Amino acid sequence: RVLGLTATPHFEGVLQASSFVIAFALSLLALAELGFLAWPNITTHDADDFIDLEVERASIESSQNIPAAKHEASNDEIVKYFVRNSKLVGKTLIKASTVETATELAWKLRQEGVNAETINYLTMPQHRRDILDRFKKTSGPCVLVVVQIGSTGFDIPDLQTIFLTRNICSPLAYLQVCGRGARKVEGKNHFGIVEFHPGLFKMRKYLWKGLVPIELLHA
């Protein structure tokens, strides 16, 4: 018998063999409750108030009281949102839908004086590493726009906010990208998720949906 530990137990192919069984699992919220991950605070680009990143922690269930975004945001709306809240959102990862959208978004952010770069599946490996290194070393408000990458194998612990600008239909893909912001470093107890697409509302439940109810952890 072999015991394996994984952050993505439903990853395609991992559990297709009949010999694999999930014996124990924790949700992202449960891991945050235990202090292993940062707490996610959610808002939408058209909400009346931005998430209060100054609070020590905030229960993710309260995000269900925040309505879904009214519409899918344009690049101009995304830029305006970041510029207006730059000091609050800080180091930000933006998930874009296409290479063209990401390129335009990064360009428009730079036009506003924002330190913004973009990488995607077409970016050459060395160039990608150089951009990631610069992003990791940058402190304060800055942006990295990504397309079809940034969900796995992407470790930037001091990431403060994630902008989700396209719909995500897979719970696993949603949890993986949210997990990029959940890494903890000294002084970081929470991170922000900003939804720019109305379809993302239905995915919030997966942040606290797990096989083990959180109240049992303290029994």
Side-chain angles (χ1 to χ4, degrees):
R1 293 180 181 273
V2 177
L3 174 65
L5 300 177
T6 175
T8 55
H10 296 289
F11 192 82
E12 184 178 358
V14 173
L15 295 180
Q16 288 185 358
S18 59
S19 58
F20 289 96
V21 176
I22 298 178
F24 184 78
L26 293 175
S27 67
L28 188 148
L29 180 62
L31 290 169
E33 173 72 12
L34 292 170
F36 293 111
L37 297 178
W39 280 82
N41 295 325
I42 297 180
T43 191
T44 65
H45 70 95
D46 49 13
D48 292 333
D49 296 305
F50 185 73
I51 48 179
D52 183 5
L53 293 181
E54 297 304 315
V55 298
E56 182 67 18
R57 50 177 281 185
S59 175
I60 193 63
E61 282 96 335
S62 64
S63 71
Q64 289 300 100
N65 298 323
I66 303 173
K70 296 181 179 67
H71 63 279
E72 183 176 359
S74 65
N75 273 354
D76 286 337
E77 289 176 290
I78 296 169
V79 171
K80 288 179 181 177
Y81 189 94
F82 180 86
V83 172
R84 186 171 68 247
N85 297 289
S86 60
K87 292 182 179 179
L88 201 56
V89 298
K91 181 175 287 189
T92 299
L93 177 72
I94 299 181
K95 291 284 287 185
S97 56
T98 67
V99 174
E100 293 75 16
T101 299
T103 301
E104 179 192 60
L105 181 53
W107 179 81
K108 288 187 173 185
L109 285 163
R110 288 194 294 271
Q111 291 298 106
E112 295 292 331
V114 178
N115 181 349
E117 295 191 81
T118 181
I119 56 176
N120 57 69
Y121 59 95
L122 298 175
T123 308
M124 297 300 291
Q126 184 58 53
H127 187 42
R128 182 187 300 183
R129 286 192 291 270
D130 291 342
I131 292 174
L132 281 173
D133 285 343
R134 286 196 295 271
F135 186 65
K136 288 179 179 179
K137 293 175 182 177
T138 301
S139 59
C142 58
V143 172
L144 180 63
V145 188
V146 298
V147 180
Q148 294 189 13
I149 59 174
S151 296
T152 59
F154 192 86
D155 189 22
I156 302 180
D158 64 340
L159 187 67
Q160 293 173 263
T161 308
I162 299 170
F163 282 12
L164 301 178
T165 69
R166 62 177 179 83
N167 197 19
I168 300 176
C169 298
S170 163
L172 175 59
Y174 179 80
L175 288 172
Q176 286 179 327
V177 69
C178 290
R180 300 314 96 191
R183 302 291 197 275
K184 290 193 74 173
V185 292
E186 185 177 355
K188 176 185 174 183
N189 297 301
H190 47 254
F191 70 100
I193 299 172
V194 185
E195 299 172 351
F196 291 84
H197 191 289
L200 292 164
F201 176 84
K202 64 181 182 295
M203 304 304 292
R204 298 177 189 174
K205 63 184 178 182
Y206 293 106
L207 290 171
W208 64 84
K209 184 178 181 182
L211 298 182
V212 182
I214 192 169
E215 57 268 17
L216 295 183
L217 299 176
H218 305 289

